[in-house]
PDB file of all heavy atoms in Angstrom:
ATOM      1  N   LEU A  76     -81.915 107.425  17.674  1.00  0.00           N
ATOM      2  CA  LEU A  76     -82.468 107.542  19.017  1.00  0.00           C
ATOM      3  C   LEU A  76     -82.832 108.942  19.349  1.00  0.00           C
ATOM      4  O   LEU A  76     -83.789 109.244  20.084  1.00  0.00           O
ATOM      5  CB  LEU A  76     -81.453 107.002  20.030  1.00  0.00           C
ATOM      6  CG  LEU A  76     -81.019 105.563  19.868  1.00  0.00           C
ATOM      7  CD1 LEU A  76     -79.833 105.234  20.792  1.00  0.00           C
ATOM      8  CD2 LEU A  76     -82.177 104.626  20.101  1.00  0.00           C
ATOM      9  N   VAL A  77     -82.061 109.922  18.799  1.00  0.00           N
ATOM     10  CA  VAL A  77     -82.278 111.348  19.059  1.00  0.00           C
ATOM     11  C   VAL A  77     -83.080 111.991  17.916  1.00  0.00           C
ATOM     12  O   VAL A  77     -84.051 112.724  18.160  1.00  0.00           O
ATOM     13  CB  VAL A  77     -80.938 112.080  19.227  1.00  0.00           C
ATOM     14  CG1 VAL A  77     -81.146 113.593  19.335  1.00  0.00           C
ATOM     15  CG2 VAL A  77     -80.196 111.548  20.428  1.00  0.00           C
ATOM     16  N   LEU A  78     -82.717 111.685  16.675  1.00  0.00           N
ATOM     17  CA  LEU A  78     -83.340 112.334  15.521  1.00  0.00           C
ATOM     18  C   LEU A  78     -84.799 111.882  15.348  1.00  0.00           C
ATOM     19  O   LEU A  78     -85.629 112.696  14.933  1.00  0.00           O
ATOM     20  CB  LEU A  78     -82.578 112.000  14.231  1.00  0.00           C
ATOM     21  CG  LEU A  78     -81.177 112.584  14.121  1.00  0.00           C
ATOM     22  CD1 LEU A  78     -80.465 112.053  12.905  1.00  0.00           C
ATOM     23  CD2 LEU A  78     -81.230 114.116  14.068  1.00  0.00           C
ATOM     24  N   HIS A  79     -85.085 110.628  15.641  1.00  0.00           N
ATOM     25  CA  HIS A  79     -86.433 110.128  15.417  1.00  0.00           C
ATOM     26  C   HIS A  79     -87.108 109.608  16.690  1.00  0.00           C
ATOM     27  O   HIS A  79     -88.323 109.355  16.685  1.00  0.00           O
ATOM     28  CB  HIS A  79     -86.412 109.019  14.356  1.00  0.00           C
ATOM     29  CG  HIS A  79     -85.733 109.427  13.103  1.00  0.00           C
ATOM     30  ND1 HIS A  79     -86.349 110.337  12.233  1.00  0.00           N
ATOM     31  CD2 HIS A  79     -84.560 109.118  12.538  1.00  0.00           C
ATOM     32  CE1 HIS A  79     -85.544 110.516  11.162  1.00  0.00           C
ATOM     33  NE2 HIS A  79     -84.454 109.808  11.327  1.00  0.00           N
ATOM     34  N   GLY A  80     -86.345 109.420  17.742  1.00  0.00           N
ATOM     35  CA  GLY A  80     -86.880 108.996  19.006  1.00  0.00           C
ATOM     36  C   GLY A  80     -86.920 110.127  19.976  1.00  0.00           C
ATOM     37  O   GLY A  80     -86.826 111.313  19.643  1.00  0.00           O
ATOM     38  N   ASP A  81     -87.043 109.790  21.276  1.00  0.00           N
ATOM     39  CA  ASP A  81     -87.151 110.826  22.296  1.00  0.00           C
ATOM     40  C   ASP A  81     -85.948 110.846  23.241  1.00  0.00           C
ATOM     41  O   ASP A  81     -85.995 111.426  24.322  1.00  0.00           O
ATOM     42  CB  ASP A  81     -88.437 110.637  23.105  1.00  0.00           C
ATOM     43  CG  ASP A  81     -88.538 109.259  23.745  1.00  0.00           C
ATOM     44  OD1 ASP A  81     -87.568 108.475  23.672  1.00  0.00           O
ATOM     45  OD2 ASP A  81     -89.576 108.950  24.314  1.00  0.00           O
ATOM     46  N   ALA A  82     -84.841 110.238  22.806  1.00  0.00           N
ATOM     47  CA  ALA A  82     -83.635 110.222  23.669  1.00  0.00           C
ATOM     48  C   ALA A  82     -83.004 111.605  23.643  1.00  0.00           C
ATOM     49  O   ALA A  82     -82.996 112.313  22.640  1.00  0.00           O
ATOM     50  CB  ALA A  82     -82.656 109.200  23.156  1.00  0.00           C
ATOM     51  N   PRO A  83     -82.407 112.038  24.776  1.00  0.00           N
ATOM     52  CA  PRO A  83     -81.701 113.341  24.844  1.00  0.00           C
ATOM     53  C   PRO A  83     -80.425 113.242  23.994  1.00  0.00           C
ATOM     54  O   PRO A  83     -79.809 112.176  23.832  1.00  0.00           O
ATOM     55  CB  PRO A  83     -81.385 113.521  26.312  1.00  0.00           C
ATOM     56  CG  PRO A  83     -81.382 112.128  26.883  1.00  0.00           C
ATOM     57  CD  PRO A  83     -82.366 111.337  26.101  1.00  0.00           C
ATOM     58  N   ARG A  84     -79.951 114.394  23.563  1.00  0.00           N
ATOM     59  CA  ARG A  84     -78.757 114.462  22.707  1.00  0.00           C
ATOM     60  C   ARG A  84     -77.537 113.849  23.350  1.00  0.00           C
ATOM     61  O   ARG A  84     -76.705 113.219  22.697  1.00  0.00           O
ATOM     62  CB  ARG A  84     -78.444 115.893  22.305  1.00  0.00           C
ATOM     63  CG  ARG A  84     -79.356 116.532  21.316  1.00  0.00           C
ATOM     64  CD  ARG A  84     -78.955 117.958  21.023  1.00  0.00           C
ATOM     65  NE  ARG A  84     -77.564 118.049  20.606  1.00  0.00           N
ATOM     66  CZ  ARG A  84     -76.916 119.216  20.460  1.00  0.00           C
ATOM     67  NH1 ARG A  84     -77.534 120.357  20.746  1.00  0.00           N
ATOM     68  NH2 ARG A  84     -75.649 119.239  20.049  1.00  0.00           N
ATOM     69  N   ASP A  85     -77.404 114.027  24.679  1.00  0.00           N
ATOM     70  CA  ASP A  85     -76.192 113.579  25.338  1.00  0.00           C
ATOM     71  C   ASP A  85     -76.069 112.071  25.390  1.00  0.00           C
ATOM     72  O   ASP A  85     -74.981 111.545  25.713  1.00  0.00           O
ATOM     73  CB  ASP A  85     -76.067 114.197  26.745  1.00  0.00           C
ATOM     74  CG  ASP A  85     -77.232 113.825  27.664  1.00  0.00           C
ATOM     75  OD1 ASP A  85     -78.098 113.028  27.250  1.00  0.00           O
ATOM     76  OD2 ASP A  85     -77.268 114.331  28.786  1.00  0.00           O
ATOM     77  N   VAL A  86     -77.094 111.301  25.037  1.00  0.00           N
ATOM     78  CA  VAL A  86     -76.945 109.862  25.003  1.00  0.00           C
ATOM     79  C   VAL A  86     -75.915 109.451  23.964  1.00  0.00           C
ATOM     80  O   VAL A  86     -75.218 108.424  24.128  1.00  0.00           O
ATOM     81  CB  VAL A  86     -78.320 109.174  24.692  1.00  0.00           C
ATOM     82  CG1 VAL A  86     -78.723 109.378  23.222  1.00  0.00           C
ATOM     83  CG2 VAL A  86     -78.248 107.671  25.017  1.00  0.00           C
ATOM     84  N   LEU A  87     -75.779 110.273  22.921  1.00  0.00           N
ATOM     85  CA  LEU A  87     -74.815 109.932  21.866  1.00  0.00           C
ATOM     86  C   LEU A  87     -73.372 110.154  22.286  1.00  0.00           C
ATOM     87  O   LEU A  87     -72.435 109.740  21.570  1.00  0.00           O
ATOM     88  CB  LEU A  87     -75.133 110.720  20.598  1.00  0.00           C
ATOM     89  CG  LEU A  87     -76.506 110.495  19.980  1.00  0.00           C
ATOM     90  CD1 LEU A  87     -76.712 111.419  18.802  1.00  0.00           C
ATOM     91  CD2 LEU A  87     -76.673 109.033  19.561  1.00  0.00           C
TER      92      LEU A  87
END
Side-chain angles (χ1 to χ4, degrees):
L76 300 171
V77 175
L78 293 174
H79 305 289
D81 57 5
R84 286 179 56 189
D85 59 4
V86 73
L87 299 177

